[in-house]
Amino acid sequence: FGLLASAQFMVKNKIRKSLFEQGQSISNESKNKLGLQIQKHALEIIDTRDIDNIALYFPFRNEVNTNILVKTFTNLHKNIYMPKVLDETNMAFNLLCHKSKFSINRFGIKELDNTDYIDINNIDLMFIPMVGVDPNGYRLGYGSGYYDRIISSFDEQSIKPLLVGLAFEYQVFEMHFGEMHDLKYNLVFSENNEMFSYLID
């Protein structure tokens, strides 16, 4: 690390710790209730009529649940893909279906046990989990960089997917912490029908 990078790393870790503590203070009942509201709001706004392939995630720690999205998109006959960690640096997305079997990865996150992967350039819509998001739409993750790397690997000639975040209000951070290599959301939905739209550079 250079001095600047090291300082930014420490700032992000401090923010992560603060956001983790805030998340732990909210009851599971409240998280479920608010998560339902956030998902329904996203479904009201996002037009999925011309969308076939959707990337979702299995919630971990204090992330907003995706259970309503999974149910709705399944009923709409969309193809749903979930993230799977392949090794220390690479992640892929494999198909969710009613016969899917699951395992828990080394991070403690649920994954699908199949090799039905999609070319990342064929995903139309991605719901990406977060620890937090800054005023410019930059995502704060867990620091492993999996999502940053996969987003940066998109073919420049391809139409990039819509990148969506689901956030509890406390995760929408007022301080700027984003860096150029960080993933940037197009839309973030929070409780109380809040929606944040960000310009993409």
Side-chain angles (χ1 to χ4, degrees):
F1 283 120
L3 287 177
L4 184 60
S6 180
Q8 188 71 357
F9 179 79
M10 291 174 67
V11 166
K12 286 184 175 181
N13 274 345
K14 188 174 181 180
I15 294 171
R16 279 190 193 96
K17 183 178 179 183
S18 172
L19 293 176
F20 283 147
E21 290 173 353
Q22 290 182 66
Q24 293 299 327
S25 70
I26 304 173
S27 70
N28 287 333
E29 182 181 357
S30 293
K31 287 176 187 172
N32 290 335
K33 183 178 179 181
L34 294 173
L36 176 64
Q37 183 180 340
I38 294 166
Q39 290 178 83
K40 285 185 174 179
H41 183 44
L43 287 168
E44 289 170 359
I45 299 297
I46 299 173
D47 185 355
T48 60
R49 284 175 294 183
D50 295 325
I51 286 175
D52 296 316
N53 300 318
I54 301 173
L56 286 169
Y57 60 86
F58 292 115
F60 178 62
R61 292 187 178 175
N62 301 318
E63 295 165 356
V64 175
N65 210 328
T66 59
N67 55 337
I68 302 302
L69 297 178
V70 170
K71 183 177 180 180
T72 301
F73 294 143
T74 299
N75 290 339
L76 291 172
H77 306 292
K78 306 296 184 183
N79 300 316
I80 300 173
Y81 294 87
M82 294 295 195
K84 184 172 184 176
V85 173
L86 302 178
D87 54 38
E88 295 292 332
T89 57
N90 296 301
M91 182 173 71
F93 288 82
N94 52 350
L95 184 66
L96 176 69
C97 64
H98 70 283
K99 294 181 180 179
S100 292
K101 294 183 180 180
F102 308 93
S103 61
I104 303 298
N105 70 17
R106 60 193 174 92
F107 298 109
I109 303 172
K110 194 175 179 181
E111 289 184 337
L112 299 172
D113 281 339
N114 69 54
T115 55
D116 194 353
Y117 299 117
I118 185 173
D119 182 330
I120 191 68
N121 295 292
N122 292 331
I123 293 178
D124 305 306
L125 169 64
M126 294 185 75
F127 287 85
I128 300 175
M130 69 171 75
V131 175
V133 60
D134 85 351
N136 287 329
Y138 285 109
R139 170 184 179 265
L140 180 67
Y142 292 98
S144 56
Y146 283 102
Y147 275 99
D148 293 334
R149 284 189 293 273
I150 206 161
I151 295 302
S152 66
S153 73
F154 282 117
D155 187 336
E156 289 296 323
Q157 307 304 316
S158 300
I159 298 174
K160 293 179 174 56
L162 185 70
L163 306 181
V164 178
L166 306 175
F168 298 111
E169 281 188 348
Y170 77 88
Q171 293 176 299
V172 182
F173 212 68
E174 295 180 356
M175 176 182 172
H176 293 265
F177 53 73
E179 300 173 272
M180 291 302 294
H181 61 80
D182 290 333
L183 182 157
K184 187 173 183 179
Y185 289 107
N186 299 113
L187 298 172
V188 169
F189 295 92
S190 182
E191 60 243 49
N192 302 319
N193 289 332
E194 285 190 300
M195 183 185 79
F196 304 90
S197 179
Y198 305 102
L199 294 174
I200 299 299
D201 302 325

XYZ file of all heavy atoms in Angstrom, residues 9 18 36 42-43 57 59 61 72 82-83 88 90 92 95 105 112 119 121 124 136 139 180-181 190-192:
220
model
N -7.884 2.564 3.043
C -8.204 1.221 3.523
C -8.664 1.270 4.977
O -9.643 0.629 5.362
C -6.972 0.325 3.380
C -7.160 -1.086 3.859
C -7.825 -2.019 3.072
C -6.679 -1.483 5.096
C -8.005 -3.333 3.507
C -6.849 -2.788 5.545
C -7.515 -3.705 4.750
N -18.487 0.351 11.853
C -19.613 1.162 12.321
C -20.940 0.658 11.758
O -21.930 0.524 12.482
C -19.401 2.625 11.912
O -20.548 3.401 12.189
N -38.835 -6.420 3.111
C -40.011 -6.643 2.275
C -40.419 -5.350 1.576
O -40.685 -5.327 0.371
C -41.157 -7.168 3.148
C -42.503 -7.375 2.472
C -42.428 -8.453 1.401
C -43.562 -7.763 3.505
N -38.524 -1.783 -5.213
C -37.675 -2.046 -6.376
C -38.479 -2.680 -7.507
O -38.319 -2.322 -8.680
C -36.506 -2.953 -5.982
N -39.359 -3.605 -7.153
C -40.186 -4.278 -8.166
C -41.168 -3.322 -8.836
O -41.508 -3.488 -10.010
C -40.950 -5.439 -7.524
C -40.103 -6.665 -7.165
C -40.894 -7.613 -6.269
C -39.621 -7.380 -8.414
N -28.636 -12.526 -5.016
C -27.658 -12.998 -4.037
C -28.381 -13.625 -2.857
O -29.549 -13.326 -2.597
C -26.765 -11.842 -3.556
C -27.527 -10.705 -2.878
C -27.823 -10.742 -1.509
C -27.952 -9.595 -3.596
C -28.522 -9.717 -0.896
C -28.647 -8.554 -2.997
C -28.928 -8.624 -1.637
O -29.627 -7.602 -1.037
N -28.667 -13.525 0.977
C -28.284 -12.524 1.978
C -27.353 -13.094 3.042
O -27.444 -14.251 3.433
C -29.629 -12.097 2.578
C -30.555 -13.236 2.303
C -30.108 -13.814 1.001
N -25.201 -11.818 6.754
C -25.116 -10.834 7.827
C -26.307 -9.874 7.785
O -27.436 -10.293 7.937
C -23.778 -10.094 7.772
C -22.582 -10.968 8.116
C -21.306 -10.165 8.207
N -20.169 -11.017 8.577
C -18.921 -10.593 8.627
N -18.634 -9.329 8.323
N -17.944 -11.422 8.973
N -40.841 -13.535 -7.131
C -41.476 -12.769 -8.218
C -40.849 -13.084 -9.565
O -41.554 -13.345 -10.553
C -41.374 -11.256 -7.935
O -42.016 -10.967 -6.698
C -42.036 -10.455 -9.050
N -27.096 -16.906 -9.175
C -26.560 -16.558 -7.859
C -25.028 -16.615 -7.879
O -24.437 -17.429 -8.600
C -27.091 -17.526 -6.803
C -28.593 -17.418 -6.567
S -29.027 -15.804 -5.872
C -30.689 -16.121 -5.283
N -24.364 -15.783 -7.070
C -22.896 -15.762 -7.073
C -22.294 -17.000 -6.430
O -22.829 -17.545 -5.461
C -22.567 -14.508 -6.257
C -23.756 -14.300 -5.385
C -24.934 -14.765 -6.173
N -9.590 -17.734 -4.919
C -9.220 -16.549 -4.137
C -9.594 -15.230 -4.814
O -9.759 -14.214 -4.143
C -7.708 -16.555 -3.872
C -7.232 -17.699 -2.993
C -7.728 -17.588 -1.567
O -7.959 -16.453 -1.104
O -7.884 -18.638 -0.914
N -11.701 -15.166 -8.087
C -12.746 -15.254 -9.111
C -14.098 -15.710 -8.559
O -14.166 -16.573 -7.676
C -12.312 -16.214 -10.220
C -11.093 -15.713 -10.961
O -11.115 -14.638 -11.533
N -10.017 -16.483 -10.918
N -18.294 -16.507 -10.089
C -19.160 -16.705 -11.252
C -20.605 -16.715 -10.757
O -20.867 -16.650 -9.552
C -18.819 -18.012 -11.965
N -27.050 -20.946 -12.201
C -28.503 -20.893 -12.325
C -29.216 -21.464 -11.102
O -28.896 -22.540 -10.613
C -28.933 -21.668 -13.578
C -30.411 -21.648 -13.937
C -30.856 -20.235 -14.327
C -30.677 -22.614 -15.103
N -20.180 -21.710 1.593
C -18.784 -21.509 1.203
C -17.921 -21.110 2.400
O -18.397 -21.008 3.533
C -18.669 -20.510 0.038
C -19.011 -19.082 0.437
O -19.051 -18.707 1.612
N -19.262 -18.246 -0.559
N -24.958 -22.268 -4.720
C -25.582 -23.354 -5.461
C -24.540 -24.392 -5.851
O -23.416 -24.044 -6.242
C -26.247 -22.814 -6.733
C -27.363 -21.794 -6.533
C -27.782 -21.208 -7.888
C -28.556 -22.427 -5.840
N -22.356 -16.576 -18.929
C -21.367 -15.582 -19.341
C -21.788 -14.255 -18.711
O -22.921 -13.800 -18.888
C -21.364 -15.468 -20.875
C -20.330 -14.479 -21.397
O -20.005 -13.501 -20.688
O -19.865 -14.674 -22.532
N -21.379 -11.341 -19.419
C -21.855 -10.327 -20.365
C -23.305 -10.531 -20.786
O -23.885 -9.674 -21.454
C -20.961 -10.308 -21.608
C -19.545 -9.868 -21.286
O -19.308 -8.712 -20.940
N -18.599 -10.783 -21.380
N -28.546 -9.194 -17.552
C -29.236 -7.937 -17.860
C -29.407 -7.034 -16.642
O -29.458 -5.806 -16.762
C -30.632 -8.238 -18.428
C -30.582 -9.153 -19.626
O -29.862 -8.827 -20.579
O -31.250 -10.218 -19.612
N -22.144 9.165 -3.920
C -21.974 9.056 -5.371
C -22.363 7.684 -5.903
O -22.212 7.414 -7.099
C -20.523 9.346 -5.763
C -20.183 10.820 -5.639
O -21.050 11.673 -5.816
N -18.942 11.128 -5.317
N -20.098 1.530 -3.945
C -20.413 0.458 -3.006
C -19.270 0.177 -2.046
O -18.111 0.149 -2.442
C -20.717 -0.824 -3.795
C -20.837 -2.098 -2.967
C -21.033 -3.283 -3.888
N -21.131 -4.559 -3.160
C -20.107 -5.370 -2.940
N -18.894 -5.043 -3.384
N -20.282 -6.501 -2.285
N -12.096 5.087 -7.600
C -12.405 4.847 -9.002
C -12.576 3.361 -9.330
O -13.335 2.999 -10.216
C -11.316 5.456 -9.899
C -11.301 6.975 -9.903
S -12.883 7.699 -10.421
C -12.939 7.162 -12.125
N -11.872 2.486 -8.611
C -11.957 1.053 -8.903
C -13.159 0.394 -8.229
O -13.444 -0.770 -8.468
C -10.670 0.341 -8.466
C -10.395 0.447 -6.994
N -11.012 -0.358 -6.066
C -9.581 1.283 -6.305
C -10.589 -0.034 -4.857
N -9.714 0.961 -4.977
N -34.015 2.079 -0.797
C -34.005 1.994 0.650
C -35.449 2.004 1.152
O -36.397 2.089 0.360
C -33.214 3.173 1.237
O -33.163 3.088 2.637
N -35.619 1.904 2.475
C -36.971 1.890 3.029
C -37.639 3.256 2.876
O -37.016 4.220 2.435
C -36.958 1.466 4.500
C -36.150 2.349 5.410
C -34.992 1.594 6.042
O -34.252 0.915 5.328
O -34.824 1.716 7.263
N -38.900 3.328 3.221
C -39.701 4.551 3.068
C -39.783 5.005 1.615
O -39.875 6.197 1.320
C -39.148 5.688 3.948
C -39.114 5.313 5.411
O -40.056 4.687 5.911
N -38.046 5.653 6.102
